[in-house]
C-alpha cells in the first residue's frame, strides 16, 4: 500500500477521533421557571448534558414566546450542532423552524407541541400524553365521587398543549357522567400565585365554594396556590373539596400526605436523556427516528403520599 494512502487513512482516523471527541454544542430554549416541575425538567437536562460532556447553551424565556424565538435565532447564528425547544404555546413557530432547517440544524421539541403542518421542520417530539393525563385525573375523581361532582377547573397557560390536551381528556371522561360538570374554569397560567388568585375569585363567585365537590388543576403549582385559597375560604381542602392535579412535584406529595390534596398524575421531568440520545444518533448519521417519543407517569393518591414524598424531598 502506498505510504500516502497509509498516511491519509491515519489522518482520516485521527480527524474522526478528534471530531467525536469535540463537545457537541446544543442550544436549549426553555419556557421559564413557572413551576416546580419546570425547574426539575431544566435541572435534569443540565445534569445530563454535564454527564455527557455536552456544551449546553440554556435560555430561560420567562414564559414569553418572543424570548424563545430570539434565543433560537441566536443558537442558529452561533452555529450550534442541535437545538431543543420546550415551546410555551403551540402557534407561531414555523418561521424560526424554517430558519433552523435552512441552517441544517436539527431541532427536537420537548414537552408541549408546535402546531406546524410540515413535520420535517423538527426531528422529533418527546412528551407525555397530556390527553391521557386528563382522562386519568377525571376517572379517579368520578370513581371517588360515584360520578356526582361539581368541579372548579384551573387551566394551564392558554394555547399550551398541556392545557389544551388535559382539558380535552378530562372533559371526555366527565361527559359520561350526567351528574358531574365543570361549573367554572379559568387559567391560572401554571403558577402558584395566579392559581391562588384565580381560585379566590372562583370561590367568591361560587358561594365560597359551598356545593363544590372538587378542584381539577392542570398542574400541582396552581393547585398548591388554590389550597391556600380554599383554607382561607374556611373549607378543608382534601375533604370538603377534593383536589386532583398533574405533575407530581414534591410539595404536592407533602400536601397529599397532610390531607390537603387527594391525587396527582406524575409527569416525567427527565426529558434530557432521550433528547440527547436522539441528537447524538442523528449527528452520527442515524436518520431513523419516531416523530413522537412518549413518556409515561403514574397516578398517586394520599395512600402512598408520605413514602413518595420521602423519596422525592430534597431531590
Ligand atoms: C406539561 C408542562 C406543564 C407542567 C407545568 O408537560 O408543559 O408546564 O404541567 C408546567 O407544571 O408549567
Amino acid at each position: 500500500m502506498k505510504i500516502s494512502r497509509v498516511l491519509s487513512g491515519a489522518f482520516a482516523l485521527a480527524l474522526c477521533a478528534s471530531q467525536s471527541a469535540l463537545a457537541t454544542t446544543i442550544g436549549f430554549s426553555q419556557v421559564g421557571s413557572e413551576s416546580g416541575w419546570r425547574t426539575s425538567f431544566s435541572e435534569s437536562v443540565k445534569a445530563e448534558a454535564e454527564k455527557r460532556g455536552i456544551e449546553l447553551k440554556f435560555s430561560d424565556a420567562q414564559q414569553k414566546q418572543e424570548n424563545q424565538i430570539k434565543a433560537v435565532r441566536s443558537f442558529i447564528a452561533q452555529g450550534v450542532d442541535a437545538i431543543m425547544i420546550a415551546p410555551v404555546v403551540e402557534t407561531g413557530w414555523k418561521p424560526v423552524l424554517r430558519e433552523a432547517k435552512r441552517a441544517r440544524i436539527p431541532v427536537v421539541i420537548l414537552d408541549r407541541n408546535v402546531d406546524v403542518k410540515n413535520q420535517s421542520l423538527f426531528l422529533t417530539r418527546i412528551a407525555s400524553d397530556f390527553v391521557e393525563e386528563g382522562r386519568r385525573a377525571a376517572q379517579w375523581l368520578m370513581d371517588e365521587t360515584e360520578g356526582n361532582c361539581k368541579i372548579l377547573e384551573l387551566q394551564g397557560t392558554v394555547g399550551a398543549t398541556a392545557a389544551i390536551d388535559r382539558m380535552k381528556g378530562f372533559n371526555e371522561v366527565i361527559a359520561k357522567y350526567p351528574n358531574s360538570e365543570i361549573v367554572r374554569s379559568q387559567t391560572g397560567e401554571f403558577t402558584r400565585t395566579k392559581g391562588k388568585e384565580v381560585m379566590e375569585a372562583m370561590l367568591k363567585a361560587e358561594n365560597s365554594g359551598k356545593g363544590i365537590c372538587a378542584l381539577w388543576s392542570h398542574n400541582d403549582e396552581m393547585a398548591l396556590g388554590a389550597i391556600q385559597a380554599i383554607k382561607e375560604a374556611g373549607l378543608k381542602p382534601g375533604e370538603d373539596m377534593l383536589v386532583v392535579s398533574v405533575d407530581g412535584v414534591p410539595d404536592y406529595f407533602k400536601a397529599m400526605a397532610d390531607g390537603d390534596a387527594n391525587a396527582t398524575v406524575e409527569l416525567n421531568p427527565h426529558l434530557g436523556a432521550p433528547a440527547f440520545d436522539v441528537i447524538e444518533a442523528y449527528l452520527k448519521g442515524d436518520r431513523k427516528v419516531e416523530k413522537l417519543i412518549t413518556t409515561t407517569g403514574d397516578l398517586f393518591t394520599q395512600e402512598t403520599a408520605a413514602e413518595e414524598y420521602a423519596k422525592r424531598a430534597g431531590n
Side-chain angles (χ1 to χ4, degrees), residues 34-35 37-38 111-112 130 162 166 190 218-219 247 267:
E34 75 284 357
S35 72
W37 179 85
R38 184 71 55 188
D111 184 48
R112 303 175 193 176
F130 303 137
R166 284 172 187 164
F190 280 132
H218 292 186
N219 84 333
D247 276 356
L267 178 67

